[in-house]
Amino acid sequence: MSSPYKHFMAQVTRTARITPQTVRITLSGLEGFADTGLDHWVKLFFPLPGDRRPVYPTGDDWWRTWSADPGAVRAVFRTYTVRRHRPATGEIDIDFVLHGDTAPGSRWAARAEPGDLVGVWGPGAMYDPPEAAGWRLIAGDETALPAMAAIVESLPAGSSARVFVEIADAAEEQPFETDGDVRVEWLHRDGVPAGRSALLVESVRDATLPPGRPYAWIAGESAMVKALRRHLVNERGIDRADVCFSGYWRLGKTEYDD
Ligand SMILES: Cc1cc2nc3c(=O)[nH]c(=O)nc-3n(C[C@H](O)[C@H](O)[C@H](O)COP(=O)(O)OP(=O)(O)OC[C@H]3O[C@@H](n4cnc5c(N)ncnc54)[C@H](O)[C@@H]3O)c2cc1C
């Protein structure tokens, strides 16, 4: 099978503020973009301030070129989830969490306008429940909400899931549509900054969960994901192979920091 990873030069076609802290940006120019899974992600390469077009190494070995010269001046990249893919029009939607004006991804998304260019590389995905798994446990913060929404929306009638979403406050809720039997808990930090709350971990720890073998998917701030995974494996006894997890961001660090 050929690799799904490809480089695209995409163009912003629409932007919409879907919650006070989330902007949905539609990108076009993605003809031939593969569907790899429900939580599929891409790397986005943002132009440097003042540039129209992002400049960066492309090709199959772009990462090797990138790593070989860490001091080079070039586009900054960050990772995002494809909330929706419309192959017929070569479009994808990405939901950006706006968390301030100094971080390159958040800053670019807050200012994006139709016609702006952004590099796209991907996609990859990790959600892959085994057939023998029963109910789903889906947990994460707002950066994981696009993937959680896509997973929940895909659940067929007869399936069941417990979903825990940590968000800033009630205004950030995004209702899910699903045929599955899904119970969603919206956990509001209400003033506690993202990455500094124990709300998600404590809520899962305190929950009475269904019996049977679950498949768990967890993503969000890295320390929170680690704590949650540890709880599920060590205290709940869930097989580690049935816990799919990813640190989507790290408090006080960027994607390149060690
Ligand atoms: C597979 C994957 C899928 C992802 N999908 C999405 C997605 O669909 N939407 C999305 O918004 N993010 C998503 N993320 C997370 C996103 O890549 C990070 O939040 C990234 O750090 C944003 O880049 P930035 O330039 O805005 O901030 P950076 O320059 O990376 O970080 C600057 C500072 O901001 C902090 N920070 C980063 N993100 C946040 C945040 N959300 N809230 C508060 N502080 C933050 C960092 O700790 C750091 O101190 C995903 C990450 C992965 C790995």
Side-chain angles (χ1 to χ4, degrees):
M1 200 181 88
S2 67
S3 165
Y5 300 115
K6 277 189 192 161
H7 284 280
F8 301 85
M9 187 56 67
Q11 198 163 35
V12 174
T13 50
R14 285 188 296 285
T15 73
R17 194 60 87 93
I18 58 168
T19 71
Q21 269 186 18
T22 315
V23 62
R24 175 163 296 162
I25 299 188
T26 300
L27 301 175
S28 61
L30 287 117
E31 287 77 12
F33 184 84
D35 267 320
T36 47
L38 294 165
D39 57 348
H40 47 183
W41 53 263
V42 289
K43 304 266 180 214
L44 296 185
F45 295 80
F46 305 109
L48 293 176
D51 286 356
R52 174 167 153 70
R53 178 177 276 271
V55 177
Y56 55 97
T58 53
D60 291 345
D61 62 348
W62 70 271
W63 177 240
R64 194 192 304 258
T65 315
W66 186 287
S67 313
D69 188 5
V73 177
R74 59 202 163 190
V76 172
F77 72 82
R78 297 286 186 263
T79 309
Y80 291 90
T81 304
V82 176
R83 175 67 181 88
R84 282 199 189 87
H85 175 210
R86 289 181 290 281
T89 53
E91 287 181 324
I92 59 174
D93 294 336
I94 298 201
D95 292 353
F96 292 78
V97 176
L98 302 178
H99 63 93
D101 210 34
T102 50
S106 179
R107 183 186 155 88
W108 180 85
R111 287 173 169 69
E113 290 181 353
D116 286 356
L117 296 176
V118 66
V120 177
W121 180 79
M126 59 176 201
Y127 178 80
D128 188 17
E131 269 187 22
W135 60 284
R136 308 279 184 268
L137 172 61
I138 314 286
D141 64 20
E142 55 268 61
T143 61
L145 192 41
M148 288 194 274
I151 291 169
V152 170
E153 284 169 2
S154 79
L155 291 172
S159 62
S160 66
R162 291 290 302 272
V163 181
F164 297 83
V165 197
E166 188 192 289
I167 47 175
D169 53 39
E172 295 301 318
E173 291 188 13
Q174 295 181 39
F176 299 126
E177 295 202 358
T178 179
D179 292 331
D181 173 13
V182 177
R183 180 166 150 199
V184 183
E185 278 162 67
W186 296 99
L187 309 167
H188 304 152
R189 288 190 300 272
D190 284 333
V192 178
R196 297 201 181 274
S197 159
L199 196 55
L200 186 66
V201 180
E202 281 170 5
S203 302
V204 174
R205 186 173 281 144
D206 293 346
T208 304
L209 298 176
R213 176 179 171 187
Y215 176 72
W217 184 99
I218 45 181
E221 199 285 322
S222 190
M224 179 218 42
V225 168
K226 260 189 220 154
L228 204 45
R229 176 174 179 265
R230 211 173 294 135
H231 164 66
L232 295 180
V233 172
N234 296 344
E235 291 162 33
R236 297 270 184 184
I238 299 175
D239 190 325
R240 58 184 66 236
D242 289 338
V243 182
C244 174
F245 66 101
S246 179
Y248 272 14
W249 61 285
R250 285 179 298 161
L251 190 62
K253 307 229 180 214
T254 75
E255 182 149 351
Y256 312 145
D257 293 333
D258 290 330

